[in-house]
Amino acid sequence: MDLQESVRKQNGILWRVYKHVIKITPGKTSNLVFSPALINVILSLIAAYKSPGATEEHILSLLKASSTDELNAVSSQIVTTVLADSTASGGPMISTANGFWIEKSLCCVEQSFENLLETSYKAAFKQVDFRTKVGIVF
């Protein structure tokens, strides 16, 4: 897998999504914030979870990726380089909060998925009681 080629393909698709969002929101874009990098990470995370139905295949097709491993590699590069703190060299610091919260009664989550979240996505994982407990889950 050529990681740079994967990034290029996925950026191209997300750029088209960005242009579509701008096109359908004329006059309403003065405060629009759209992060193709974070959209990529979120879609990749959904595909990595092995969502039911054809979701994984649709995301792989949309992002022109051959596998979730490819998506995970690109997302890991985004999280560790694009979203890295660059203030020491005069660059920006972009703060994000990546996390995966799932209703604890729905299913069991494999340890390998939890490890993927922590290593590739630098994301928190938590099983919570959305049905009866209301509150902050951080």
Side-chain angles (χ1 to χ4, degrees):
M1 165 185 58
D2 181 355
L3 193 56
Q4 287 185 338
E5 178 63 16
S6 295
V7 170
R8 188 191 64 70
K9 286 190 301 187
Q10 292 177 31
N11 284 345
I13 294 301
L14 292 168
W15 179 249
R16 287 187 12 222
V17 170
Y18 170 76
K19 290 193 302 187
H20 176 73
V21 169
I22 294 297
K23 182 179 177 182
I24 65 170
T25 55
K28 303 175 190 173
T29 58
S30 63
N31 289 322
L32 178 67
V33 176
F34 183 91
S35 172
L38 290 179
I39 298 295
N40 184 306
V41 170
I42 292 165
L43 289 173
S44 298
L45 183 62
I46 293 168
Y49 182 63
K50 308 291 184 203
S51 299
T55 304
E56 178 184 351
E57 290 82 21
H58 287 291
I59 293 171
L60 289 171
S61 176
L62 172 68
L63 297 177
K64 297 186 178 184
S66 60
S67 68
T68 55
D69 288 340
E70 181 180 341
L71 293 178
N72 295 338
V74 170
S75 291
S76 181
Q77 183 176 9
I78 289 169
V79 170
T80 58
T81 56
V82 176
L83 301 177
D85 182 355
S86 301
T87 55
S89 62
M93 180 176 74
I94 302 171
S95 296
T96 64
N98 293 337
F100 190 89
W101 295 272
I102 189 167
E103 165 59 42
K104 68 180 181 180
S105 67
L106 292 178
C107 67
C108 300
V109 176
E110 294 179 19
Q111 186 63 46
S112 60
F113 181 70
E114 288 184 50
N115 294 342
L116 177 69
L117 286 171
E118 293 171 1
T119 57
S120 292
Y121 292 86
K122 308 296 184 226
F125 171 80
K126 188 153 185 142
Q127 289 181 298
V128 295
D129 184 355
F130 285 121
R131 295 179 183 201
T132 60
K133 305 254 183 200
V134 179
I136 298 175
V137 296
F138 299 102

